[in-house]
Amino acid sequence: MTNLFLIILNMSITASYVALVVIMGRFLLKRAPKIFSYILWSAVIIRLVIPVSFTSSFSILRLVQPQAKAGTGFMEFVPQDIGMQLNPVVDAGISGISRFVNSSLPASNPMASANPMQITMWIGSIIWITGAAILLLYSVFSYLKILASVRTATLVKDNIFETDQIATPFVCGFLKPKIYIPTSMSEHELSYILLHEQTHIMRRDYLIKPLAFMMLIVHWFNPLMWLSYALMSKDMEMSCDERVVGKMGHQIKGSYSTSLLSLSVSRSGLLTGSPLAFGESNIKERIKNILTYRQPSSWMVAGSMLVITALVVGCTANPKPLQQSSQPSYSGFNMDKLMENKTLYVGNHSKVGGLISGMPKPIGFEVNGIELQTKAQPYGLTINYIMNDSTDVKKEGAISGESFYHNSILLLSLIDNVDSITTSIVDNTGQYDGVTYSFTFTREQVDKLLGEDVQHYATDEISLRQLIDRLNSLPINEISKTI
């Protein structure tokens, strides 16, 4: 569940940046028809629903691009392995925010049975799923209550029903949406109210709003998503109001506003997601918008379409990776990979695999998987190789493990709780196929060889380079004496 929570958290952070862009975009479209502002919210919904996206140099999110997994389909601000990191780090895409967040994260404690960050993320995931479940149950209960209130509604015609149990007209239903209206409505106001509700049905708002609300339930912990949902609902209703005025003429503005005011209801509608109620919220803003609405000119429509196209594409695309120089190598070691994947626990399979992939191996060798001994101390790591060519590892006619000494020592430095590193080689050269050679290095042996704790060298890249230099200066026979 923690992994799922981290995925949701990263999606929520991405959607937050997109929501801020959309909110600013709404100001650019302030004088344009509200349908364009409404369409803009599709970028936020896409980010909340789909965790991955295409990459583009046009992406607006390049301004907040996290370095982890840069250029991939997933925006990762909070790393999936944050609970296993020596020093938990979040890349919020904005340096000031990152520093503030990282300064408040609990540091790891190698002596503890569990990393404090692991516990924090687990508690966070429990709170998240509990909150989502409560909101879901509440919304289902509210929806069932609404269905009960219209159970006795009378069919007027087509999909229009009338009942005295409701205070304002609304659309309800998912597969076959129905329009419910209060009794005793005049024919005059009924005409534009029905057009308003039919516009909702025509645009599939009866599906869009519940989908948006489901996303709100999943991302309930994010205040920006609550604001986004409220603004999206406001734009949805205003765009329907504008279509009614545009189709029936400006002469209905007064009576339409009066009906909107008389049929207004007090509830906010934020905790239901449905139905689409005529007089549900933002009454003052909607009336003001109706009274000031003017038919847009063709150039305004064209300009607005260009703006929303650019913003939607820019917000749904992930940024391309920043151009970087070739990966730095030091004595055959990929220093970036080694520093990125150092870990507290040998049980962190992805980090251990990352460390091994950043280390040199003899020509003709290929990694054939790793084995982790984590059930009880001493904890161990076994790296399995297939040897297709023995030229680089043959010494005086026998297979030697000298080529893996440096790798083993660096692994003991970079993995805090591992006690031994074993290199297992299966012969596949054609002469002794199937024969296995094994070489083991223990932490005790390495600390004795160096005269100090080898873990001290994993503090930073400079220290790790010093360890590599020291190992290169040591005669191989001196290292061999320790095993």
Side-chain angles (χ1 to χ4, degrees), residues 275-426:
L276 296 161
F278 176 75
E280 186 174 66
S281 58
N282 301 297
I283 302 303
K284 290 183 179 179
E285 291 90 341
R286 287 173 63 185
I287 291 175
K288 183 178 179 181
N289 185 63
I290 290 166
L291 296 177
T292 59
Y293 175 71
R294 296 289 183 272
Q295 197 73 22
S297 60
S298 57
W299 68 265
M300 179 179 284
V301 172
S304 299
M305 289 181 67
L306 286 174
V307 170
I308 65 169
T309 300
L311 288 177
V312 170
V313 173
C315 287
T316 53
N318 283 351
K320 283 187 174 180
L322 300 173
Q323 293 296 323
Q324 297 177 340
S325 58
S326 57
Q327 293 179 332
S329 177
Y330 192 75
S331 293
F333 293 93
N334 186 321
M335 301 305 292
D336 283 350
K337 272 196 175 182
L338 297 188
M339 296 311 299
E340 178 185 339
N341 289 287
K342 66 177 181 176
T343 177
L344 283 172
Y345 308 105
V346 68
N348 191 337
H349 192 284
S350 62
K351 287 290 188 182
V352 172
L355 289 172
I356 294 169
S357 68
M359 294 181 171
K361 60 181 183 290
I363 295 173
F365 276 63
E366 55 185 273
V367 178
N368 189 36
I370 60 177
E371 299 173 23
L372 308 177
Q373 160 44 32
T374 58
K375 290 183 179 179
Q377 290 183 319
Y379 300 134
L381 164 64
T382 299
I383 310 166
N384 298 310
Y385 289 95
I386 294 178
M387 179 175 65
N388 299 308
D389 187 343
S390 62
T391 304
D392 280 7
V393 296
K394 200 168 255 189
K395 184 178 180 181
E396 299 178 356
I399 301 301
S400 168
E402 292 177 358
S403 297
F404 299 97
Y405 289 171
H406 291 185
N407 287 10
S408 298
I409 294 172
L410 260 70
L411 285 170
L412 287 163
S413 174
L414 292 162
I415 306 173
D416 268 29
N417 73 338
V418 71
D419 297 301
S420 66
I421 305 293
T422 298
T423 300
S424 179
I425 305 168
V426 176

Side-chain angles (χ1 to χ4, degrees), residues 88-381:
V89 174
V90 169
D91 184 358
I94 300 175
S95 58
I97 297 176
S98 297
R99 285 195 298 270
F100 174 77
V101 173
N102 292 333
S103 65
S104 63
L105 296 179
S108 60
N109 182 2
M111 301 304 293
S113 58
N115 193 332
M117 197 63 203
Q118 277 184 301
I119 299 173
T120 300
M121 296 310 300
W122 181 80
I123 293 174
S125 65
I126 294 298
I127 294 173
W128 163 67
I129 198 69
T130 302
I134 291 172
L135 279 173
L136 180 61
L137 289 173
Y138 181 84
S139 61
V140 169
F141 173 77
S142 299
Y143 188 69
L144 292 176
K145 188 176 179 181
I146 290 168
L147 291 181
S149 69
V150 297
R151 189 174 298 166
T152 58
T154 305
L155 177 64
V156 177
K157 63 175 181 178
D158 300 329
N159 65 333
I160 304 168
F161 291 78
E162 186 179 54
T163 178
D164 59 357
Q165 299 298 309
I166 59 176
T168 188
F170 59 79
V171 174
C172 191
F174 300 109
L175 300 178
K176 294 181 179 180
K178 299 178 178 64
I179 299 174
Y180 293 93
I181 58 174
T183 54
S184 305
M185 289 187 66
S186 67
E187 287 295 325
H188 177 64
E189 66 179 356
L190 189 60
S191 59
Y192 46 72
I193 288 173
L194 287 178
L195 180 58
H196 178 102
E197 303 303 336
Q198 286 164 352
T199 300
H200 279 310
I201 294 175
M202 179 190 70
R203 297 190 320 194
R204 303 294 191 270
D205 290 341
Y206 61 91
L207 297 177
I208 294 172
K209 190 174 183 182
L211 172 63
F213 187 71
M214 287 302 297
M215 291 303 99
L216 180 63
I217 288 177
V218 174
H219 299 267
W220 65 267
F221 54 87
N222 188 337
L224 262 176
M225 295 304 101
W226 289 91
L227 176 62
S228 298
Y229 181 78
L231 292 176
M232 186 211 73
S233 300
K234 180 180 177 180
D235 290 339
M236 176 192 290
E237 294 299 332
M238 285 186 174
S239 62
C240 283
D241 294 335
E242 290 176 350
R243 185 174 187 275
V244 172
V245 173
K247 193 164 185 177
M248 300 191 71
H250 290 261
Q251 68 276 3
I252 70 159
K253 285 184 176 182
S255 57
Y256 188 84
S257 299
T258 301
S259 296
L260 188 59
L261 188 59
S262 64
L263 292 169
S264 63
V265 291
S266 59
R267 68 187 183 90
S268 65
L270 282 179
L271 293 178
T272 57
S274 187
L276 296 161
F278 176 75
E280 186 174 66
S281 58
N282 301 297
I283 302 303
K284 290 183 179 179
E285 291 90 341
R286 287 173 63 185
I287 291 175
K288 183 178 179 181
N289 185 63
I290 290 166
L291 296 177
T292 59
Y293 175 71
R294 296 289 183 272
Q295 197 73 22
S297 60
S298 57
W299 68 265
M300 179 179 284
V301 172
S304 299
M305 289 181 67
L306 286 174
V307 170
I308 65 169
T309 300
L311 288 177
V312 170
V313 173
C315 287
T316 53
N318 283 351
K320 283 187 174 180
L322 300 173
Q323 293 296 323
Q324 297 177 340
S325 58
S326 57
Q327 293 179 332
S329 177
Y330 192 75
S331 293
F333 293 93
N334 186 321
M335 301 305 292
D336 283 350
K337 272 196 175 182
L338 297 188
M339 296 311 299
E340 178 185 339
N341 289 287
K342 66 177 181 176
T343 177
L344 283 172
Y345 308 105
V346 68
N348 191 337
H349 192 284
S350 62
K351 287 290 188 182
V352 172
L355 289 172
I356 294 169
S357 68
M359 294 181 171
K361 60 181 183 290
I363 295 173
F365 276 63
E366 55 185 273
V367 178
N368 189 36
I370 60 177
E371 299 173 23
L372 308 177
Q373 160 44 32
T374 58
K375 290 183 179 179
Q377 290 183 319
Y379 300 134
L381 164 64

Side-chain angles (χ1 to χ4, degrees), residues 17-18 20-22 24-25 40 43 47 56-65 75 307-320:
Y17 286 126
V18 171
L20 291 173
V21 173
V22 170
M24 289 186 286
L40 267 184
R47 283 298 186 176
S56 170
S57 56
F58 185 68
S59 174
I60 295 173
L61 293 173
R62 70 180 182 275
L63 299 173
V64 291
Q65 180 177 3
M75 297 282 285
V307 170
I308 65 169
T309 300
L311 288 177
V312 170
V313 173
C315 287
T316 53
N318 283 351
K320 283 187 174 180

